Amino acid sequence: MRIIAILLTYIFINNFILVKFMGLCPFIGVSKNSESAIGMGLAVSFVAGTASAVCWCVYYGLLVPFGLEYLQTIAFILVIAALVQLVEMVLRKMSPSLYKALGIFLPLITTNCAVLGIAIINIDEAYNLLESFTAGIAAGLGFTMAIILMSNIREKLELKPVRRSFKGVPIAFVSAGLMALAFMAFDNSLLANLHLA
Amino acid sequence: MSQHIKELTKGIFKENPTFIIMLGMCPTLAVTTQVVNAIGMGGGVLFVLLFSNIFISLLKNVIPNSVRIPCYVVVIASFVTILQMVFHAYIPSLYEALGVYLPLIVVNCIILGRAEAFANKNGVLDSALDAIGMGIGFTLALTLIAAIREAFGAGTITLFRIGGWDGVIKVPFFYNWPIRVMTLAAGALLLMGYLKAFFNWNTSRKARKAAKAEEVKA
């Protein structure tokens, strides 16, 4: 039950882009066409899920027993950087086609707020290992959904007459704002109505 | 001397990190619900940017080129940890308000961007001036966004608590009839879109004016 609640929370209620603004740079930068948006979204979901699980293990297996909780930020960002490098190498060897699709996005993910953000939120919320992993995947899926919707909107906007000063990034922000208005419909009452809270 | 001054001032207007280069958007929109949070976040970024730029500029000949990004990240993360401890100890209310966005300064693109684009090519003095300029530009941008959002969305301007004064300025009219959406996520994105459009318009207007002046001269 808690797992479903976490999934709904991070995909809809606390959508990482439209509510928490994490990962806004790639959201604006990579959403020009839907193919690269899907690639970026999947890469983020994959890394966020793995990083959540690994960071949880590092925090409770290494930092807490030695009383080093204050090193959390440094440890997590190093874990994420190493993990991204590892994923890149593994993908290149195991699945060249997947590497071709996701490869160029992987280096960008190290500095994506969403990945470090969900790793820190997992610790703040005191989730267990499975819940952390789920939260990571859910945050990634929420990001994927938002970036795919955004790329579709922007592909349509290319063909529409837009004032010159609004072309490109400004109109993308305004569309994202309207999307965020729609997402305000999801709040904690959703969980209450589904008897999950 | 004048070129040093230029390194300082370019970050404030001409290459403003928020409105012109569009880096570090996530704290920009997330913490700007109150002016005091925006100033705190800006000050934090200024501190981390200044020290990471100085250290990276000093270490630029020691760090091997192939592992430079992880090295920069470690330097930045160390200063963010120091900042977290200082905020936690001395301004706990701000520490609570900034929450998860305080450690997220590590992945703020402005800091890594300046390290990569400026500090590893230039001397210590220029790097420090560049960092101060960029930091002030970022703080001013955040304060502007926060002032607009708070004044319209809540009808207040919250500053620091000094002595008996609680640090809250009430904005007439909007205090009684606030436009609540401005303090929510949607308002932040809409406002950012309109501000960016305004800055685009401003830049293109200046460029047109310069072109016209050139024409007259010719």
Side-chain angles (χ1 to χ4, degrees):
Chain A
M1 274 329 231
R2 227 177 115 84
I3 298 292
I4 299 172
I6 288 175
L7 272 174
L8 285 177
T9 304
Y10 289 104
I11 295 180
F12 293 109
I13 301 167
N14 276 340
N15 186 291
F16 256 48
I17 289 178
L18 298 171
V19 180
K20 286 186 170 290
F21 303 121
M22 289 180 191
L24 213 57
C25 296
F27 176 67
I28 297 294
V30 195
S31 62
K32 285 207 184 75
N33 68 67
S34 50
E35 269 164 44
S36 53
I38 294 172
M40 185 73 194
L42 291 179
V44 169
S45 311
F46 186 65
V47 175
T50 340
S52 298
V54 176
C55 286
W56 190 92
C57 296
V58 167
Y59 188 79
Y60 288 104
L62 208 63
L63 298 182
V64 171
F66 293 104
L68 296 172
E69 287 93 339
Y70 64 90
L71 287 179
Q72 186 195 20
T73 312
I74 302 179
F76 281 12
I77 191 72
L78 281 179
V79 165
I80 291 168
L83 195 72
V84 169
Q85 204 76 47
L86 192 74
V87 167
E88 204 180 335
M89 288 195 293
V90 169
L91 272 188
R92 196 183 300 172
K93 277 265 181 291
M94 307 282 279
S95 160
S97 58
L98 196 61
Y99 176 75
K100 226 178 206 168
L102 302 185
I104 51 165
F105 302 113
L106 283 171
L108 292 175
I109 292 175
T110 314
T111 54
N112 188 330
C113 316
V115 179
L116 183 62
I118 191 66
I120 294 169
I121 287 172
N122 285 333
I123 304 299
D124 288 347
E125 300 273 325
Y127 288 148
N128 64 31
L129 182 56
L130 183 63
E131 286 166 350
S132 297
F133 180 67
T134 318
I137 294 281
L141 289 179
F143 178 87
T144 312
M145 181 182 65
I147 201 170
I148 290 175
L149 287 174
M150 189 68 200
S151 66
N152 287 326
I153 293 177
R154 284 183 80 169
E155 280 177 349
K156 288 271 185 303
L157 277 175
E158 289 285 303
L159 308 170
K160 295 273 183 275
V162 178
R163 279 197 76 109
R164 196 174 49 209
S165 33
F166 272 94
K167 271 225 162 70
V169 176
I171 196 72
F173 267 109
V174 173
S175 332
L178 295 176
M179 256 161 80
L181 266 182
F183 267 75
M184 275 164 63
F186 297 109
D187 61 3
N188 282 325
S189 59
L190 177 71
L191 292 184
N193 290 339
L194 293 170
H195 306 289
L196 292 168
Chain B
M1 192 63 216
S2 66
Q3 92 198 29
H4 292 311
I5 300 287
K6 221 171 87 195
E7 301 298 354
L8 182 69
T9 53
K10 71 167 195 271
I12 300 176
F13 295 107
K14 218 173 104 223
E15 290 180 31
N16 187 293
T18 305
F19 292 126
I20 311 293
I21 327 183
M22 307 283 288
L23 285 178
M25 297 313 300
C26 86
T28 311
L29 297 182
V31 304
T32 48
T33 47
Q34 284 198 330
V35 177
V36 61
N37 296 349
I39 296 174
M41 180 51 115
V45 169
L46 176 60
F47 166 83
V48 176
L49 190 56
L50 176 60
F51 282 95
S52 69
N53 251 14
I54 291 176
F55 268 69
I56 287 163
S57 153
L58 284 173
L59 293 172
K60 65 175 183 286
N61 296 325
V62 184
I63 297 173
N65 205 28
S66 50
V67 289
R68 65 181 193 284
I69 300 287
C71 293
Y72 298 165
V73 169
V74 173
V75 172
I76 295 166
S78 317
F79 285 112
V80 171
T81 308
I82 295 171
L83 184 75
Q84 268 180 288
M85 288 171 163
V86 171
F87 271 26
H88 201 173
Y90 293 104
I91 7 181
S93 60
L94 197 58
Y95 180 81
E96 291 293 322
L98 294 180
V100 69
Y101 296 99
L102 198 54
L104 283 182
I105 294 177
V106 178
V107 285
N108 191 322
C109 319
I110 296 171
I111 298 172
L112 200 59
R114 286 334 281 173
E116 174 75 12
F118 198 88
N120 72 346
K121 296 190 193 81
N122 292 284
V124 180
L125 180 67
D126 279 349
S127 301
L129 288 174
D130 176 73
I132 293 174
M134 285 285 165
I136 292 175
F138 182 71
T139 311
L140 286 179
L142 249 65
T143 313
L144 173 69
I145 297 173
I148 297 174
R149 282 183 71 189
E150 206 192 341
F152 284 95
T156 55
I157 302 278
T158 314
L159 297 168
F160 296 96
R161 193 183 289 268
I162 306 163
W165 186 52
D166 64 353
V168 179
I169 302 168
K170 285 180 187 160
V171 180
F173 184 76
F174 287 109
Y175 188 72
N176 294 323
W177 295 282
I179 308 167
R180 286 263 177 250
V181 74
M182 290 301 281
T183 50
L184 300 173
L189 290 162
L190 287 173
L191 178 66
M192 191 62 215
Y194 284 109
L195 280 175
K196 175 69 184 157
F198 170 75
F199 277 87
N200 277 357
W201 172 77
N202 198 25
T203 330
S204 69
R205 190 186 56 135
K206 264 185 199 151
R208 262 208 308 276
K209 221 180 229 172
K212 212 174 241 173
E214 203 84 331
E215 225 166 70
V216 170
K217 218 185 268 172

